[in-house]
């Protein structure tokens, strides 16, 4: 019986207009509300999703069930016909609250009144990033370096669309009229719009070319991973279960980012070796992206993404934790009191023009802690990148800037900190910023390399082919068919 229930929860009902594993058909009012939101979503996709793609057939994975094998089914799909749906990992009846003030109580299946507006705000903030990233990436398909990359971009895009569905389901199902209004507003804000922008700053930046896209997928999608992991600990069980399933999809996005940058590095190192050159201008003359420019993009995307963690010291984050709305990364695996009553945590701040480490009550600096967990993973990825120049005998190593560098939120907001963590004068910053952050010329140069390569198995000159194709297919497979 338990098994039968499990598989009923896991399998996705595709006979419905909205594929789902939440028994949507048993709640007619909810089903109708979501079926009314669906055409608005499709209009949004048409207006701001990948440009000129309605007719393309794309080799995509679609979730057909949430169990191990079922969430990665591959086949050709026209993107407007992608089956965006609502998938939650199955409910664990034994799951109790495991941190914060309500520790030991059963998890919530409905939203307690006292947390309603806070939870709604967290869900809206999360939801807002998903369509934002699709908007940011709208034009990239026009300059893809290969069919393989084009397919990966579209996979990321449809899954971000699905992540929007995930949050919209929660808003419609658990937050009544307010939730429906928020769901509508999620389709109205626009990345970069002066009057109605997306909520978080990084989601209003342009992703104007593929180097920015890979960096975004490596750095910013990984913020997604850490925020979703923290929300997957939530007392509000439907949110936890939604985020768990989203994490399975997020892994691919980070792969696209990490391997994308790695392939750029690979190609640059090949060009440097073959031409016996190291001067950035000579590398550029060969149509590759010099390592110094790659470093500037790393500096930019890392610093902008750190802002997404909020201020180091945050009463919001403390309240999220004590209320049990949002946990720490891998909360269940940590072995402390899960209340942080007496714990302390070290964060950096500026005092008298110096960067100093301070030990503060752990509860007050949870954003900093999540950010540090994130940075550990970033460092591991960068160590893998650095094996590439090393294998070519090139001494250059990509470095991570100090967390205070180029920040707009938190302790270091609007201070002048160099990438190696020195507090400097405004004048010194002005003089050096061009060396540290991508300039308009850098963007223009990278953009100038972007031409559309759509012959199966062919790759643009500035990027190496991947080690293998998608889902066991060869690299030269026709990942996107043009009608
Ligand atoms: N931009 O206490 P504080 C993803 C505001 S990415 C603008 O420090 P808190 C994805 C803040 O709202 C993951 N405003 O912040 C990736 C607050 O305003 P009020 C997205 C900002 O609340 C790639 C004030 O400053 N998910 O999934 O602790 C592709 C003081 O804030 C920003 C989430 O973010 C900013 N960067 O933390 C696709 C999870 N930062 O209250 C998808 C949900 C702060 O003074 N969100 N502010 O008016 C959260 O958990 C929290 O809202 C944040 C901020 C961690 C973002």
């Amino acid at each position: 019986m338990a098994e039968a229930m499990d598989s009923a929860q896991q399998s996705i009902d595709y006979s419905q207009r909205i594929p789902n594993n939440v028994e949507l058909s048993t709640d007619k009012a909810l089903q109708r509300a979501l079926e009314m939101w669906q055409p608005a979503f499709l209009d949004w996709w048409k207006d701001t999703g990948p440009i000129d793609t309605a007719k393309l057939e794309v080799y995509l994975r679609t979730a057909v069930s949430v169990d191990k094998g079922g969430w990665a089914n591959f086949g050709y799909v026209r993107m407007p016909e992608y089956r965006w749906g609502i998938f939650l990992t199955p409910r664990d009846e034994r799951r109790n609250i495991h941190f914060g003030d309500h520790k030991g109580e059963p998890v919530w299946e409905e939203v307690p009144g006292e947390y309603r507006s806070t939870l709604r705000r967290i869900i809206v903030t999360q939801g807002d990033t998903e369509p934002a990233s699709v908007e940011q990436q709208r034009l990239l398909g026009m300059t893809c370096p290969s069919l393989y990359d084009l397919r990966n971009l579209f996979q990321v895009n449809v899954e971000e669309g699905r992540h929007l569905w995930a949050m919209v389901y929660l808003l419609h199902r658990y937050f009544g009229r307010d939730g429906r209004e928020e769901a509508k507003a999620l389709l109205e804000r626009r990345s970069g719009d002066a009057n109605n922008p997306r909520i978080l700053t990084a989601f209003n930046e342009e992703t104007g070319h593929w180097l920015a896209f890979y960096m975004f997928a490596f750095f910013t999608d990984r913020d997604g991973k850490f925020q979703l992991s923290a929300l997957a600990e939530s007392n509000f069980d439907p949110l936890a279960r939604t985020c768990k399933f989203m994490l399975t999809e997020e892994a691919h996005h980070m792969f696209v980012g990490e391997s994308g940058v790695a392939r750029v590095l690979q190609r640059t190192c090949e060009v440097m070796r073959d031409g016996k050159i190291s001067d950035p201008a000579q590398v550029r003359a060969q149509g590759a992206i010099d390592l110094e420019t790659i470093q500037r993009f790393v500096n930019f995307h890392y610093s902008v993404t750190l802002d997404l963690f909020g201020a180091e010291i945050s009463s919001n984050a403390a309240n999220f934790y004590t209320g049990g709305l949002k946990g720490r990364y891998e909360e269940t695996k940590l072995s402390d009191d899960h209340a942080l009553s007496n714990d302390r945590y070290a964060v950096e701040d500026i005092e008298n023009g110096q960067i100093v480490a301070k030990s503060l009550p752990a509860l007050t600096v949870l954003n900093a802690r999540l950010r540090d967990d994130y940075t550990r993973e970033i460092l591991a990825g960068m160590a893998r990148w650095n094996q590439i120049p090393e294998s070519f005998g090139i001494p250059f190593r990509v470095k991570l800037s100090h967390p205070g560098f180029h920040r707009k939120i938190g302790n270091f907001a609007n201070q002048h900190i160099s990438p190696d963590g020195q507090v400097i004068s405004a004048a010194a910053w002005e003089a050096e910023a061009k060396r540290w952050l991508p300039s308009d010329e850098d963007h223009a140069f990278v953009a100038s390399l972007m031409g559309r390569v759509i012959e199966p198995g062919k790759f643009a000159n500035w990027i190496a082919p991947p080690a293998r194709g998608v889902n066991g297919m060869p690299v030269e497979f026709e990942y996107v068919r043009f009608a």
Side-chain angles (χ1 to χ4, degrees), residues 121-122 125-126 129-130 133 160 199-201 203 216 220-221 223-225 227-228 231 250 307-317 320 326 367 409:
R121 180 168 172 178
I122 293 177
T125 308
Q126 177 63 50
T129 62
E130 317 289 0
S133 67
E160 301 300 11
I199 296 170
L200 298 171
T201 331
F203 292 89
F216 181 92
T220 310
D221 274 283
D223 171 49
K225 170 183 169 177
Q227 299 293 346
L228 290 173
L231 296 174
E250 204 65 52
D307 281 343
L308 290 175
F309 287 84
E312 285 85 349
I313 303 171
S314 165
S315 57
N316 283 349
F320 296 169
K326 184 176 172 187
N367 285 343
I409 304 269

Side-chain angles (χ1 to χ4, degrees), residues 133 136-140 205-209 212-214 216:
S133 67
Q136 287 172 298
Q137 295 161 16
R138 172 170 171 75
L139 300 176
L140 287 176
E205 303 279 351
E206 259 182 50
T207 309
H209 48 67
F213 170 61
Y214 297 132
F216 181 92

